[in-house]
Amino acid sequence: MSFIVIIPARLASTRLPNKPLADLGGKPMVVRVAERAQQSGATRIIVATDHPDIQAACEQHGVEVCMTRSDHPSGTDRIAEVARALNLPADAVIVNLQGDEPLIDPALLQAAAARIGAEVPMSTCAHPLHDVADAFNPNVVKVVLDKAGRALYFSRATIPWNRDAFAQSKETLPTGYVPLRHIGLYAYRNDFLQAYPALQVSPLESIEALEQLRVLWHGYPIAVHVTDAAPAPGVDTPEDLERVRQYY
């Protein structure tokens, strides 16, 4: 499976300033993420940024980087600009890897890319949830699938809702009930990636604050690769950063 990884990286972060340039064992985080992506079998890894400091850090460590506009509303729009600037073919498969995932499993990138096809322009990943607190946590996004492994819906709510069991208790997850947690890793076919920014924002997306619901609302399928284990968490807080520094 031939695919390209594009890593959107912005310097601004409300919870962790200058996050992409945070030192992890002598290298900036964004470089560590690119190194992780190199283990996935991708044919090309590109960092997409709007800040010259990130550009300089990537160039210093031999990572391909592309400067973008600074006014993109999302990372998806940013990687679409890069794919367009590089004149990638319509059927190119592009994986969107966030710049704060230095411990991502490279196999997930390959698995997401492999789900893209003529009928499926977008894919993502999920894993089983076993913690009742996560199942009821609105910050943990859940997804339900059809029999072909494509997303029916994403939600911050607990889906599917186990009506009979939860009527009795919400202290534990009932036997045999395994909700899926969405992993924020995406792959796209380039022709769809270019069309996506022009799609009308959907009411569901606005209500749930979940960008991927725009895709389903417009009738496009999203394939979901389900992995057995939860991936290592990304870096959002100073505590996360310290944990990852210990690893490196």
Side-chain angles (χ1 to χ4, degrees), residues 19-43:
K19 180 166 64 170
L21 299 179
D23 181 83
L24 296 180
K27 293 181 182 179
M29 184 188 304
V30 67
V31 172
R32 292 295 190 186
V33 174
E35 291 177 342
R36 204 77 170 178
Q38 288 169 355
Q39 301 173 36
S40 70
T43 57

Side-chain angles (χ1 to χ4, degrees), residues 6 56 77 84 90 113 146 161 163 170 207 215 218-220 234:
I6 303 181
D77 298 270
R84 191 163 55 251
D146 66 12
W161 182 259
R163 186 195 64 174
K170 299 186 186 72
I207 292 169
V215 179
H218 283 278
Y220 294 96

Side-chain angles (χ1 to χ4, degrees), residues 177-245:
Y177 172 75
V178 185
L180 292 175
R181 178 181 190 166
H182 176 233
I183 300 170
L185 172 72
Y186 298 100
Y188 307 89
R189 200 175 59 228
N190 188 34
D191 55 355
F192 175 74
L193 179 62
Q194 298 306 318
Y196 172 83
L199 294 178
Q200 177 188 351
V201 174
S202 78
L204 297 175
E205 172 188 1
S206 300
I207 292 169
E208 295 256 21
L210 296 175
E211 184 181 304
Q212 62 270 36
L213 289 175
R214 185 187 316 180
V215 179
L216 297 182
W217 191 76
H218 283 278
Y220 294 96
I222 302 176
V224 181
H225 167 74
V226 179
T227 182
D228 292 334
V235 177
D236 289 319
T237 66
E239 292 75 21
D240 294 337
L241 179 58
E242 184 56 34
R243 171 181 48 78
V244 175
R245 279 177 169 159

Side-chain angles (χ1 to χ4, degrees), residues 50-62:
D50 60 355
H51 202 284
D53 288 355
I54 295 177
Q55 180 186 30
C58 290
E59 291 174 345
Q60 180 182 353
H61 291 88

